[in-house]
mmCIF file of all heavy atoms in Angstrom:
data_model
loop_
_atom_site.group_PDB
_atom_site.id
_atom_site.type_symbol
_atom_site.label_atom_id
_atom_site.label_comp_id
_atom_site.label_asym_id
_atom_site.label_seq_id
_atom_site.Cartn_x
_atom_site.Cartn_y
_atom_site.Cartn_z
ATOM 1 N N GLN A 351 92.230 -69.669 -49.303
ATOM 2 C CA GLN A 351 91.130 -69.982 -48.391
ATOM 3 C C GLN A 351 91.413 -71.279 -47.637
ATOM 4 O O GLN A 351 91.128 -71.361 -46.438
ATOM 5 C CB GLN A 351 89.805 -70.083 -49.147
ATOM 6 C CG GLN A 351 89.241 -68.762 -49.580
ATOM 7 C CD GLN A 351 87.861 -68.901 -50.210
ATOM 8 O OE1 GLN A 351 87.360 -69.991 -50.423
ATOM 9 N NE2 GLN A 351 87.250 -67.761 -50.506
ATOM 10 N N LEU A 352 91.967 -72.265 -48.309
ATOM 11 C CA LEU A 352 92.271 -73.532 -47.648
ATOM 12 C C LEU A 352 93.293 -73.332 -46.526
ATOM 13 O O LEU A 352 93.137 -73.865 -45.423
ATOM 14 C CB LEU A 352 92.778 -74.557 -48.664
ATOM 15 C CG LEU A 352 93.017 -75.962 -48.140
ATOM 16 C CD1 LEU A 352 91.727 -76.583 -47.585
ATOM 17 C CD2 LEU A 352 93.587 -76.848 -49.251
ATOM 18 N N ALA A 353 94.313 -72.532 -46.791
ATOM 19 C CA ALA A 353 95.321 -72.245 -45.763
ATOM 20 C C ALA A 353 94.682 -71.503 -44.582
ATOM 21 O O ALA A 353 94.965 -71.812 -43.417
ATOM 22 C CB ALA A 353 96.463 -71.426 -46.355
ATOM 23 N N THR A 354 93.816 -70.544 -44.877
ATOM 24 C CA THR A 354 93.133 -69.791 -43.823
ATOM 25 C C THR A 354 92.270 -70.711 -42.974
ATOM 26 O O THR A 354 92.328 -70.681 -41.739
ATOM 27 C CB THR A 354 92.265 -68.668 -44.431
ATOM 28 O OG1 THR A 354 93.125 -67.756 -45.121
ATOM 29 C CG2 THR A 354 91.477 -67.932 -43.367
ATOM 30 N N ALA A 355 91.458 -71.541 -43.624
ATOM 31 C CA ALA A 355 90.565 -72.448 -42.893
ATOM 32 C C ALA A 355 91.365 -73.450 -42.062
ATOM 33 O O ALA A 355 91.012 -73.729 -40.909
ATOM 34 C CB ALA A 355 89.637 -73.180 -43.859
ATOM 35 N N THR A 356 92.440 -73.960 -42.614
ATOM 36 C CA THR A 356 93.274 -74.921 -41.889
ATOM 37 C C THR A 356 93.897 -74.270 -40.660
ATOM 38 O O THR A 356 93.877 -74.837 -39.555
ATOM 39 C CB THR A 356 94.360 -75.490 -42.816
ATOM 40 O OG1 THR A 356 93.715 -76.132 -43.927
ATOM 41 C CG2 THR A 356 95.246 -76.479 -42.095
ATOM 42 N N GLU A 357 94.422 -73.073 -40.827
ATOM 43 C CA GLU A 357 95.033 -72.353 -39.701
ATOM 44 C C GLU A 357 94.001 -72.054 -38.625
ATOM 45 O O GLU A 357 94.245 -72.247 -37.434
ATOM 46 C CB GLU A 357 95.678 -71.057 -40.223
ATOM 47 C CG GLU A 357 96.418 -70.256 -39.158
ATOM 48 C CD GLU A 357 95.520 -69.281 -38.422
ATOM 49 O OE1 GLU A 357 94.613 -68.708 -39.047
ATOM 50 O OE2 GLU A 357 95.716 -69.108 -37.199
ATOM 51 N N ARG A 358 92.821 -71.612 -39.021
ATOM 52 C CA ARG A 358 91.757 -71.309 -38.048
ATOM 53 C C ARG A 358 91.303 -72.589 -37.352
ATOM 54 O O ARG A 358 91.034 -72.593 -36.160
ATOM 55 C CB ARG A 358 90.573 -70.613 -38.713
ATOM 56 C CG ARG A 358 90.911 -69.323 -39.457
ATOM 57 C CD ARG A 358 91.262 -68.185 -38.506
ATOM 58 N NE ARG A 358 91.716 -67.010 -39.194
ATOM 59 C CZ ARG A 358 91.066 -65.860 -39.311
ATOM 60 N NH1 ARG A 358 89.869 -65.743 -38.783
ATOM 61 N NH2 ARG A 358 91.586 -64.853 -39.945
ATOM 62 N N GLY A 359 91.207 -73.684 -38.095
ATOM 63 C CA GLY A 359 90.828 -74.965 -37.506
ATOM 64 C C GLY A 359 91.855 -75.445 -36.494
ATOM 65 O O GLY A 359 91.500 -75.947 -35.419
ATOM 66 N N MET A 360 93.141 -75.297 -36.816
ATOM 67 C CA MET A 360 94.200 -75.698 -35.880
ATOM 68 C C MET A 360 94.140 -74.852 -34.611
ATOM 69 O O MET A 360 94.335 -75.367 -33.507
ATOM 70 C CB MET A 360 95.571 -75.589 -36.554
ATOM 71 C CG MET A 360 95.763 -76.655 -37.613
ATOM 72 S SD MET A 360 97.254 -76.541 -38.655
ATOM 73 C CE MET A 360 98.463 -75.781 -37.640
ATOM 74 N N ARG A 361 93.834 -73.583 -34.759
ATOM 75 C CA ARG A 361 93.716 -72.687 -33.606
ATOM 76 C C ARG A 361 92.551 -73.126 -32.705
ATOM 77 O O ARG A 361 92.696 -73.170 -31.476
ATOM 78 C CB ARG A 361 93.502 -71.246 -34.083
ATOM 79 C CG ARG A 361 93.583 -70.243 -32.966
ATOM 80 C CD ARG A 361 93.316 -68.824 -33.402
ATOM 81 N NE ARG A 361 93.982 -68.450 -34.637
ATOM 82 C CZ ARG A 361 93.596 -67.435 -35.395
ATOM 83 N NH1 ARG A 361 92.541 -66.711 -35.067
ATOM 84 N NH2 ARG A 361 94.249 -67.139 -36.495
ATOM 85 N N VAL A 362 91.422 -73.471 -33.304
ATOM 86 C CA VAL A 362 90.253 -73.933 -32.537
ATOM 87 C C VAL A 362 90.579 -75.247 -31.828
ATOM 88 O O VAL A 362 90.257 -75.430 -30.650
ATOM 89 C CB VAL A 362 89.015 -74.086 -33.455
ATOM 90 C CG1 VAL A 362 87.898 -74.834 -32.762
ATOM 91 C CG2 VAL A 362 88.536 -72.718 -33.914
ATOM 92 N N ALA A 363 91.221 -76.175 -32.532
ATOM 93 C CA ALA A 363 91.577 -77.471 -31.938
ATOM 94 C C ALA A 363 92.504 -77.282 -30.739
ATOM 95 O O ALA A 363 92.319 -77.921 -29.690
ATOM 96 C CB ALA A 363 92.233 -78.360 -32.984
ATOM 97 N N ALA A 364 93.488 -76.393 -30.875
ATOM 98 C CA ALA A 364 94.411 -76.136 -29.771
ATOM 99 C C ALA A 364 93.674 -75.535 -28.574
ATOM 100 O O ALA A 364 93.906 -75.927 -27.427
ATOM 101 C CB ALA A 364 95.532 -75.202 -30.236
ATOM 102 N N LYS A 365 92.782 -74.603 -28.851
ATOM 103 C CA LYS A 365 92.025 -73.961 -27.775
ATOM 104 C C LYS A 365 91.125 -74.966 -27.057
ATOM 105 O O LYS A 365 90.976 -74.926 -25.838
ATOM 106 C CB LYS A 365 91.183 -72.812 -28.339
ATOM 107 C CG LYS A 365 90.445 -72.019 -27.311
ATOM 108 C CD LYS A 365 89.731 -70.846 -27.944
ATOM 109 C CE LYS A 365 88.983 -70.050 -26.897
ATOM 110 N NZ LYS A 365 88.276 -68.912 -27.468
ATOM 111 N N MET A 366 90.529 -75.886 -27.825
ATOM 112 C CA MET A 366 89.629 -76.881 -27.240
ATOM 113 C C MET A 366 90.384 -78.073 -26.665
ATOM 114 O O MET A 366 89.817 -78.863 -25.920
ATOM 115 C CB MET A 366 88.620 -77.356 -28.287
ATOM 116 C CG MET A 366 87.687 -76.257 -28.761
ATOM 117 S SD MET A 366 86.486 -76.850 -29.948
ATOM 118 C CE MET A 366 85.287 -77.583 -28.822
ATOM 119 N N GLY A 367 91.642 -78.223 -27.048
ATOM 120 C CA GLY A 367 92.416 -79.369 -26.586
ATOM 121 C C GLY A 367 91.866 -80.681 -27.105
ATOM 122 O O GLY A 367 91.907 -81.705 -26.417
ATOM 123 N N ALA A 368 91.343 -80.670 -28.329
ATOM 124 C CA ALA A 368 90.739 -81.866 -28.910
ATOM 125 C C ALA A 368 90.922 -81.839 -30.423
ATOM 126 O O ALA A 368 91.154 -80.788 -31.016
ATOM 127 C CB ALA A 368 89.252 -81.921 -28.571
ATOM 128 N N LEU A 369 90.809 -83.004 -31.017
ATOM 129 C CA LEU A 369 90.880 -83.095 -32.470
ATOM 130 C C LEU A 369 89.569 -82.611 -33.086
ATOM 131 O O LEU A 369 88.490 -82.859 -32.548
ATOM 132 C CB LEU A 369 91.129 -84.539 -32.907
ATOM 133 C CG LEU A 369 92.470 -85.139 -32.504
ATOM 134 C CD1 LEU A 369 92.521 -86.612 -32.905
ATOM 135 C CD2 LEU A 369 93.603 -84.367 -33.166
ATOM 136 N N LEU A 370 89.680 -81.948 -34.222
ATOM 137 C CA LEU A 370 88.487 -81.499 -34.929
ATOM 138 C C LEU A 370 87.867 -82.649 -35.697
ATOM 139 O O LEU A 370 88.562 -83.444 -36.320
ATOM 140 C CB LEU A 370 88.831 -80.390 -35.923
ATOM 141 C CG LEU A 370 89.279 -79.052 -35.386
ATOM 142 C CD1 LEU A 370 89.483 -78.079 -36.533
ATOM 143 C CD2 LEU A 370 88.286 -78.492 -34.392
ATOM 144 N N ALA A 371 86.567 -82.723 -35.668
ATOM 145 C CA ALA A 371 85.831 -83.639 -36.528
ATOM 146 C C ALA A 371 85.386 -82.895 -37.794
ATOM 147 O O ALA A 371 85.084 -83.524 -38.802
ATOM 148 C CB ALA A 371 84.618 -84.210 -35.801
ATOM 149 N N THR A 372 85.355 -81.583 -37.729
ATOM 150 C CA THR A 372 84.998 -80.777 -38.894
ATOM 151 C C THR A 372 86.051 -80.980 -39.974
ATOM 152 O O THR A 372 87.243 -80.807 -39.719
ATOM 153 C CB THR A 372 84.920 -79.284 -38.520
ATOM 154 O OG1 THR A 372 83.911 -79.110 -37.534
ATOM 155 C CG2 THR A 372 84.627 -78.420 -39.731
ATOM 156 N N ARG A 373 85.588 -81.350 -41.157
ATOM 157 C CA ARG A 373 86.498 -81.522 -42.287
ATOM 158 C C ARG A 373 86.772 -80.168 -42.920
ATOM 159 O O ARG A 373 85.873 -79.341 -43.047
ATOM 160 C CB ARG A 373 85.890 -82.466 -43.322
ATOM 161 C CG ARG A 373 85.715 -83.855 -42.805
ATOM 162 C CD ARG A 373 85.054 -84.851 -43.759
ATOM 163 N NE ARG A 373 84.729 -84.446 -45.099
ATOM 164 C CZ ARG A 373 83.487 -84.469 -45.598
ATOM 165 N NH1 ARG A 373 82.459 -84.839 -44.866
ATOM 166 N NH2 ARG A 373 83.277 -84.115 -46.854
ATOM 167 N N ILE A 374 88.003 -79.965 -43.316
ATOM 168 C CA ILE A 374 88.407 -78.761 -44.034
ATOM 169 C C ILE A 374 89.034 -79.251 -45.328
ATOM 170 O O ILE A 374 90.010 -80.007 -45.305
ATOM 171 C CB ILE A 374 89.425 -77.934 -43.217
ATOM 172 C CG1 ILE A 374 88.822 -77.525 -41.885
ATOM 173 C CG2 ILE A 374 89.902 -76.732 -44.025
ATOM 174 C CD1 ILE A 374 89.823 -76.927 -40.909
ATOM 175 N N GLU A 375 88.456 -78.846 -46.453
ATOM 176 C CA GLU A 375 88.941 -79.366 -47.733
ATOM 177 C C GLU A 375 88.585 -78.422 -48.875
ATOM 178 O O GLU A 375 87.709 -77.564 -48.728
ATOM 179 C CB GLU A 375 88.388 -80.765 -47.992
ATOM 180 C CG GLU A 375 86.892 -80.860 -47.961
ATOM 181 C CD GLU A 375 86.385 -82.303 -47.925
ATOM 182 O OE1 GLU A 375 86.819 -83.088 -47.072
ATOM 183 O OE2 GLU A 375 85.538 -82.616 -48.772
ATOM 184 N N PRO A 376 89.258 -78.615 -50.006
ATOM 185 C CA PRO A 376 88.907 -77.807 -51.178
ATOM 186 C C PRO A 376 87.534 -78.210 -51.713
ATOM 187 O O PRO A 376 87.154 -79.379 -51.655
ATOM 188 C CB PRO A 376 89.988 -78.152 -52.206
ATOM 189 C CG PRO A 376 90.966 -79.031 -51.542
ATOM 190 C CD PRO A 376 90.384 -79.495 -50.251
ATOM 191 N N LEU A 377 86.828 -77.233 -52.230
ATOM 192 C CA LEU A 377 85.541 -77.501 -52.862
ATOM 193 C C LEU A 377 85.796 -78.025 -54.264
ATOM 194 O O LEU A 377 86.450 -77.367 -55.065
ATOM 195 C CB LEU A 377 84.704 -76.226 -52.936
ATOM 196 C CG LEU A 377 83.403 -76.315 -53.730
ATOM 197 C CD1 LEU A 377 82.420 -77.263 -53.030
ATOM 198 C CD2 LEU A 377 82.786 -74.948 -53.912
ATOM 199 N N SER A 378 85.290 -79.212 -54.555
ATOM 200 C CA SER A 378 85.400 -79.711 -55.924
ATOM 201 C C SER A 378 84.154 -79.336 -56.717
ATOM 202 O O SER A 378 84.238 -78.915 -57.858
ATOM 203 C CB SER A 378 85.629 -81.222 -55.946
ATOM 204 O OG SER A 378 84.571 -81.894 -55.304
ATOM 205 N N GLN A 379 82.982 -79.485 -56.099
ATOM 206 C CA GLN A 379 81.733 -79.073 -56.742
ATOM 207 C C GLN A 379 80.672 -78.897 -55.675
ATOM 208 O O GLN A 379 80.603 -79.660 -54.720
ATOM 209 C CB GLN A 379 81.270 -80.107 -57.760
ATOM 210 C CG GLN A 379 80.033 -79.653 -58.499
ATOM 211 C CD GLN A 379 79.780 -80.408 -59.780
ATOM 212 O OE1 GLN A 379 80.507 -81.310 -60.147
ATOM 213 N NE2 GLN A 379 78.727 -80.030 -60.469
ATOM 214 N N PHE A 380 79.849 -77.893 -55.886
ATOM 215 C CA PHE A 380 78.690 -77.646 -55.031
ATOM 216 C C PHE A 380 77.459 -77.960 -55.864
ATOM 217 O O PHE A 380 77.298 -77.448 -56.961
ATOM 218 C CB PHE A 380 78.665 -76.185 -54.568
ATOM 219 C CG PHE A 380 77.477 -75.833 -53.717
ATOM 220 C CD1 PHE A 380 77.472 -76.136 -52.361
ATOM 221 C CD2 PHE A 380 76.367 -75.202 -54.260
ATOM 222 C CE1 PHE A 380 76.383 -75.817 -51.568
ATOM 223 C CE2 PHE A 380 75.278 -74.871 -53.489
ATOM 224 C CZ PHE A 380 75.287 -75.190 -52.128
ATOM 225 N N TRP A 381 76.611 -78.824 -55.333
ATOM 226 C CA TRP A 381 75.380 -79.209 -56.012
ATOM 227 C C TRP A 381 74.219 -78.519 -55.306
ATOM 228 O O TRP A 381 74.036 -78.695 -54.108
ATOM 229 C CB TRP A 381 75.178 -80.722 -55.933
ATOM 230 C CG TRP A 381 76.312 -81.518 -56.479
ATOM 231 C CD1 TRP A 381 77.437 -81.915 -55.811
ATOM 232 C CD2 TRP A 381 76.449 -82.032 -57.804
ATOM 233 N NE1 TRP A 381 78.250 -82.636 -56.627
ATOM 234 C CE2 TRP A 381 77.666 -82.729 -57.865
ATOM 235 C CE3 TRP A 381 75.641 -81.970 -58.942
ATOM 236 C CZ2 TRP A 381 78.102 -83.359 -59.017
ATOM 237 C CZ3 TRP A 381 76.091 -82.604 -60.084
ATOM 238 C CH2 TRP A 381 77.295 -83.277 -60.112
#
Side-chain angles (χ1 to χ4, degrees):
Q351 286 185 354
L352 185 61
T354 298
T356 301
E357 183 272 324
R358 303 289 174 110
M360 289 173 30
R361 189 183 316 159
V362 168
K365 184 176 180 180
M366 296 182 81
L369 295 175
L370 292 184
T372 299
R373 295 177 4 239
I374 301 169
E375 56 192 52
L377 173 66
S378 59
Q379 184 162 1
F380 178 81
W381 304 87

